[in-house]
Amino acid sequence: KEHTSYNFTPPASFKVIYGSKDYVSKEIGLGDAKIIEVSPNPSSGPINIHLFLPDWQKKFPVQLELKSLTGITLANIFSGELDSGYQKFEWSGESNSTRLPSGVYLLQMRCNNSVQTVRVLLLN
């Protein structure tokens, strides 16, 4: 992606990759879509969800849901197509305009044929 500026919070490191599309694709790799980080976790307010979608200049169908420990979907955070690369979402911690009760929940991302799940602790 092209941006005019980038912000990093120390300690942070980054790698700049440039060149032909084939070279960049090789360097980035074609790995799996990943939930990089959910922060803050635990949270009593909004939650930032950081994702990485592999490949280069490709769109992916992505579905982000918050589920109970029994697998019941409580909130649909995102459903649609996203560009490859880094993506960030902010979720309010609410379902149907109501803050979910304190507890442990599962954040699930479905992308293509892969599913990744991370635990999220909500506090009130």
Side-chain angles (χ1 to χ4, degrees):
K1 295 188 176 198
E2 295 180 15
H3 298 279
T4 57
S5 66
Y6 297 89
N7 295 317
F8 298 96
T9 304
S13 63
F14 65 96
K15 181 178 182 181
V16 176
I17 300 172
Y18 60 94
S20 71
K21 181 178 177 183
D22 291 338
Y23 175 76
V24 171
S25 293
K26 179 182 161 207
E27 288 297 307
I28 291 176
L30 301 176
D32 294 327
K34 295 177 184 162
I35 298 172
I36 298 171
E37 180 183 29
V38 177
S39 65
N41 191 12
S43 177
S44 58
I47 294 173
N48 293 305
I49 303 164
H50 305 264
L51 310 176
F52 176 76
L53 304 176
D55 211 334
W56 178 247
Q57 296 181 343
K58 186 175 179 182
K59 290 189 178 284
F60 291 90
V62 174
Q63 184 172 7
L64 278 174
E65 297 177 325
L66 192 80
K67 297 181 175 261
S68 68
L69 292 177
T70 59
I72 297 169
T73 300
L74 303 172
N76 290 308
I77 298 169
F78 177 83
S79 183
E81 279 195 342
L82 292 173
D83 291 328
S84 61
Y86 172 80
Q87 302 289 338
K88 179 181 172 185
F89 290 90
E90 183 177 280
W91 176 61
S92 65
E94 296 179 350
S95 177
N96 298 321
S97 301
T98 303
R99 176 78 181 177
L100 290 170
S102 293
V104 177
Y105 297 90
L106 302 173
L107 174 68
Q108 186 176 80
M109 177 179 69
R110 293 182 181 277
C111 181
N112 285 341
N113 296 323
S114 69
V115 177
Q116 185 182 9
T117 305
V118 297
R119 283 181 283 179
V120 176
L121 178 58
L122 297 181
L123 304 172
N124 285 329

